[in-house]
Amino acid sequence: MKHSNISIFIPHLGCPFNCIFCDQYKITGSDCSVTPLDVYNLLEKAADDKKLLNSNTQIAFFGGSFTAIDKNLMIDYLKAANEFIGDNMFDSIRISTRPDCINNDILETLSIYNVKTIELGIQSFDDQVLAASKRGYSSKTAQDSCVLISESGFELGLQMMCGLPCDTEQKDLYTAERIIRLNCKQVRIYPVIVIKGTKLCQMYQAGEYIPLSLKQAVDTCAKLYSLFRQNDVTILKMGLHSSSDNVAGPFHPAFGELVRSRVFYNTIVKELSKSRQYIVRVSPDFMSIAVGNSKINLSQFKNEGYDIKIIPDPKINKENYIIE
Ligand code: SF4
């Protein structure tokens, strides 16, 4: 059954400080604080949509550090959401938070109110990257937190970033491998975008930080995507949405598609030789990914010396292909 979220943004609520790359007001496009009554009213309205009820829909609190909110306020949010969980209602609650804001007491509270999924913004499993990004916790804290969440019976989701200060592609692949070893089944991958007003923006303007190029970010994310897919990890999202506050970095409105196109290129090219012509058949729905944005894959095949035509074939499903 297809999963969906009713997202409630609580920008920066609970965050002990602003991480150098983050401005949730700009990232989420939400600039107001939401009260528990607002949550109740929003969900009452959402519950009118019968399609969402009885489906795999979660009520999701995003954009802050949910478990670091004042405990009474956190419980009030949970109580408001929990009114809408059950038979003929929404499935469960999902929250996102920091790895250093998880302990047994918090997990016990979350379980009382039907929280099923906890997403941790770990960003990296490399201590140098965490320190340079002033995240305020170590990779050991992140690891312990992930284990505690899983052992306590919650679904674990992880968010990672690429292109943070001191980061490398090798470190990103290492982070992905650690995520896989933790048996985490849901990830979000965010290449770093420099957002106006952040500490990272000051570093960028002072020449102390160089963001990834779009090509670097796509190449790295394509490797992460393949690694996660091979290990049955669902990629919930890649890249941030468009904002006029993006100052620099590998932003593209269809970033996820660029990555999937790159994955297709990397997969196909391994099966080709330069000495003959090929026809590659793909599903009509997959044509735009196979050909690539602005036909980038076709150009790249040609530039690399491959003679290849990609054609739509309604008999082919999803991301499958036939090479002739
Ligand atoms: S990255 Fe997470 S913890 Fe840091 S300021 Fe943003 S929402 Fe808060």
Side-chain angles (χ1 to χ4, degrees), residues 12-19 21-24 27 63-65 97-98 123 135:
H12 287 298
L13 210 58
C15 299
F17 47 78
N18 276 0
C19 300
F21 50 83
C22 184
D23 185 328
Q24 285 296 327
I27 290 172
S65 302
T97 192
R98 293 167 51 93
Q123 318 315 0
R135 286 288 289 167

Side-chain angles (χ1 to χ4, degrees), residues 5 11 42 44 47 68 77 83 95 106 148 152 154 160 168 176 186 189 226 235 267 271 285 297:
N5 287 328
L42 185 148
E44 196 174 36
Y77 280 126
E83 294 273 330
I95 60 117
I106 285 168
L148 189 59
S152 304
F154 294 90
M160 68 172 287
T168 62
Q186 307 171 20
I189 309 170
S226 298
I235 298 142
T267 309
E271 301 186 35
D285 293 342
N297 279 356

Side-chain angles (χ1 to χ4, degrees), residues 169 214-224 259 262 266:
E169 183 177 273
L214 183 59
K215 182 176 179 321
Q216 286 172 318
V218 168
D219 285 350
T220 298
C221 289
K223 289 177 190 165
L224 295 172
V259 173
R262 184 71 198 168
N266 291 345

Side-chain angles (χ1 to χ4, degrees), residues 80-99:
N82 198 33
E83 294 273 330
F84 296 88
I85 304 295
D87 288 344
N88 299 318
M89 304 282 264
F90 302 117
D91 179 74
S92 53
I93 298 173
R94 161 185 289 259
I95 60 117
S96 74
T97 192
R98 293 167 51 93

Side-chain angles (χ1 to χ4, degrees), residues 17-138:
F17 47 78
N18 276 0
C19 300
I20 61 165
F21 50 83
C22 184
D23 185 328
Q24 285 296 327
Y25 298 107
K26 289 169 183 159
I27 290 172
T28 63
S30 168
D31 59 1
C32 56
S33 48
V34 179
T35 66
L37 181 61
D38 294 333
V39 170
Y40 185 92
N41 290 337
L42 185 148
L43 294 173
E44 196 174 36
K45 223 169 168 186
D48 286 342
D49 185 346
K50 301 289 178 235
K51 283 197 298 290
L52 293 175
L53 301 177
N54 251 341
S55 67
N56 190 14
T57 300
Q58 289 188 298
I59 299 167
F61 289 96
F62 289 141
S65 302
F66 192 79
T67 55
I69 302 173
D70 166 78
K71 191 171 179 186
N72 291 330
L73 180 58
M74 179 179 84
I75 289 175
D76 285 346
Y77 280 126
L78 290 170
K79 278 183 177 162
N82 198 33
E83 294 273 330
F84 296 88
I85 304 295
D87 288 344
N88 299 318
M89 304 282 264
F90 302 117
D91 179 74
S92 53
I93 298 173
R94 161 185 289 259
I95 60 117
S96 74
T97 192
R98 293 167 51 93
D100 51 349
C101 299
I102 288 291
N103 58 39
N104 280 320
D105 179 46
I106 285 168
L107 293 179
E108 206 178 311
T109 305
L110 298 181
S111 69
I112 293 170
Y113 294 101
N114 282 309
V115 174
K116 180 172 168 186
T117 313
I118 300 176
E119 280 194 41
L120 289 185
I122 52 148
Q123 318 315 0
S124 175
F125 268 116
D126 181 88
D127 281 318
Q128 206 190 3
V129 173
L130 292 173
S133 306
K134 308 226 174 346
R135 286 288 289 167
Y137 58 83
S138 67

Side-chain angles (χ1 to χ4, degrees), residues 236-305:
L236 298 175
K237 191 168 179 200
M238 284 184 286
L240 293 175
H241 68 67
S242 164
S243 163
S244 56
D245 293 302
N246 295 348
V247 173
F251 174 74
H252 190 284
F255 185 79
E257 287 190 14
L258 297 189
V259 173
R260 289 172 66 211
S261 289
R262 184 71 198 168
V263 170
F264 180 77
Y265 179 89
N266 291 345
T267 309
I268 294 287
V269 84
K270 286 187 202 141
E271 301 186 35
L272 306 181
S273 103
K274 292 184 183 173
S275 58
R276 53 163 288 200
Q277 295 178 324
Y278 293 93
I279 290 180
V280 179
R281 296 178 185 279
V282 299
S283 152
D285 293 342
F286 193 65
M287 261 310 271
S288 62
I289 300 287
V291 168
N293 193 276
S294 308
K295 303 199 172 146
I296 188 171
N297 279 356
L298 292 183
S299 314
Q300 194 153 355
F301 281 123
K302 197 170 167 203
N303 294 342
E304 298 285 324

